[in-house]
Amino acid sequence: QGAGATCDPQKFVRGVILNPVVILLYYCFSHHYLWSVYEGELKVGMRDGKGTMRWARCFGSDRVYDGEWMHDHSHGKGTMRDVDGSVYEGEWRDGKKEGEGTMQYASGSVYEGGWKDGKIH
């Protein structure tokens, strides 16, 4: 789509939700993400069930979450591979690390244990 094009925010293409153009540009300029794609289960137009979300960067590696979703948030068991090479595998609640999980940092160090509200607990 060219500049000034509009798109339906609920556009579905073979089970993939594409963000609207406005969001794509916002991600690119303020968060260095060019686009994001979700492939997986949906309920009432929201990510819900098992699925994979990929945020592609303008420069560098992608960020990928693969796991369970509820009401459009990572929720349940899942794995997040971040752009710096770190990998978190464990429990999520409302889009944040919550419960038991393992974080392998890009430096090679590993934390295994409890998380609360996205932070080591």
Side-chain angles (χ1 to χ4, degrees), residues 1-7 21-22 25:
Q1 295 181 0
T6 61
C7 68
V21 171
V22 184
L25 294 174

Side-chain angles (χ1 to χ4, degrees), residues 2 6-7 11 14-15 26 31-33 42 53-55 59-60 67 73 75 78-79 86 89 95-96 100 103 105 116:
T6 61
C7 68
K11 175 127 178 138
R14 296 185 194 145
Y26 170 75
H31 298 295
H32 306 289
Y33 289 103
L42 301 169
M53 183 80 178
R54 177 181 304 274
W55 296 267
F59 309 101
H73 296 286
H75 192 96
T79 302
S86 62
E89 185 172 358
K96 297 179 181 176
E100 294 298 309
M103 173 66 92
Y105 296 94
K116 183 161 180 67

